[in-house]
Amino acid sequence: VMGGPSKSAWDVGKGTAVFRGTVAIVPSLKAPGFCTVATSDGLGITARFPDVSAYTHLLLKVRSDTPEYEGFKVSLAADTLNPQFESYKANVTLARTRDWQVVAVPLQ
């Protein structure tokens, strides 16, 4: 987790990954922080993620307390030590509801 007061947790099991997090405003920046997920071998060493190049979308089941916010993004990086600049980024638009929703993020 980065971005000051932001926090998150990551659980994998039964063929599903669950990422729970809260992205909070960083007071000194007056801007949102961010949460990150990375593959690891369990000892903190980066591991390879399965090849997803055959897929067209990443499906996310999400819920937000601020669905009207228009700055949500997903960023994916591979084979780089500099994921902030060497990554694929996509905007994520949510329906204006606080209910659970499925969002399809294009991978192209």
Side-chain angles (χ1 to χ4, degrees):
V1 171
M2 297 290 293
S6 299
K7 43 187 168 171
S8 66
W10 177 249
D11 298 306
V12 179
K14 298 182 183 176
T16 302
V18 176
F19 179 72
R20 290 181 179 87
T22 300
V23 176
I25 298 296
V26 179
S28 62
L29 300 175
K30 296 184 173 96
F34 58 90
C35 296
T36 302
V37 174
T39 55
S40 166
D41 65 356
L43 301 174
I45 298 172
T46 301
R48 283 193 133 351
F49 190 80
D51 182 0
V52 296
S53 61
Y55 296 92
T56 60
H57 289 79
L58 171 67
L59 296 180
L60 301 173
K61 183 177 179 183
V62 300
R63 180 173 60 185
S64 174
D65 288 335
T66 57
E68 65 282 353
Y69 178 67
E70 295 181 353
F72 291 111
K73 297 189 183 305
V74 168
S75 175
L76 303 171
D79 298 327
T80 181
L81 296 175
N82 194 1
Q84 182 177 357
F85 299 105
E86 297 177 13
S87 63
Y88 169 76
K89 293 181 174 79
N91 294 324
V92 175
T93 302
L94 301 182
R96 302 219 177 213
T97 176
R98 287 184 161 86
D99 296 331
W100 285 102
Q101 56 188 292
V102 175
V103 178
V105 180
L107 294 177
Q108 302 170 16

